Amino acid sequence: MTINPERRLFLRGGAPLPIRPPWALPEDPFLARCNRCNNCLSTCPQHILVTDRLGYPMVDFSKAACTFCGACVRHCDGRALVVMDGIPPWRHKARFAETCLNSRSIPCRTCGEQCVSHAILFPPSPGGRSLPTLIPEQCNGCGACVGVCPVTAIRLVN
């Protein structure tokens, strides 16, 4: 039985699903195929993969960004991570919270400086505040902006 993501979110008490490694199957097939061998954790050169409370791999962007090198996919025993032509590693995009320093008139550009895809801009706005603005088509969801935010005002959402 497959539970739709909205219902799963409700059943989890509103907590978002963890971000799985790049090229992970959708959540239910991923959980069915992942044998929790932890090969992806040990082969990730960025060391951004950790386990959730049930032992399944998830991404921790506080450590570094994902380079989409594919090491996790190559070493996945259960084939829970599968590269498919034309399908991006994931569809997560950066989202900025109201706790961003710029929204409090404290200049900060750290996230934009770390964004290698130039998806974060700071257009001028009334009142002299330049709030971060995301160009979704350019954001690859690598997470480089997440760990460097001094007030943890950025998260990746699907």
Side-chain angles (χ1 to χ4, degrees):
M1 174 176 149
T2 301
I3 298 175
N4 77 32
E6 290 78 23
R7 182 164 180 210
R8 181 184 298 269
L9 187 64
F10 173 75
L11 294 173
R12 291 174 51 94
L17 294 173
I19 297 177
R20 300 299 180 194
W23 295 288
L25 296 172
E27 188 71 3
D28 286 338
F30 172 81
L31 295 177
R33 284 196 180 180
C34 178
N35 61 12
R36 295 178 267 192
C37 68
N38 291 334
N39 287 346
C40 57
L41 276 70
S42 61
T43 60
C44 176
Q46 299 303 103
H47 307 289
I48 62 170
L49 298 180
V50 296
T51 56
D52 66 12
R53 61 184 176 81
L54 298 175
Y56 291 99
M58 62 180 264
V59 180
D60 179 0
F61 289 115
S62 69
K63 299 172 181 290
C66 183
T67 62
F68 306 110
C69 68
C72 55
V73 177
R74 288 189 299 277
H75 294 92
C76 179
D77 281 349
R79 304 244 335 123
L81 309 176
V82 181
V83 175
M84 291 181 259
D85 289 336
I87 305 294
W90 51 48
R91 289 184 169 83
H92 303 291
K93 305 289 179 189
R95 180 169 295 161
F96 308 98
E98 291 181 14
T99 56
C100 173
L101 292 175
N102 291 300
S103 66
R104 293 188 257 159
S105 300
I106 301 170
C108 180
R109 303 283 187 277
T110 307
C111 59
E113 292 167 357
Q114 296 300 312
C115 183
V116 295
S117 60
H118 307 290
I120 302 173
L121 302 176
F122 294 88
S125 60
R129 296 187 305 180
S130 295
L131 300 175
T133 302
L134 185 74
I135 303 170
E137 303 79 36
Q138 286 182 226
C139 179
N140 63 11
C142 72
C145 57
V146 175
V148 297
C149 180
V151 293
T152 59
I154 305 170
R155 64 185 178 106
L156 293 186
V157 296
N158 205 355

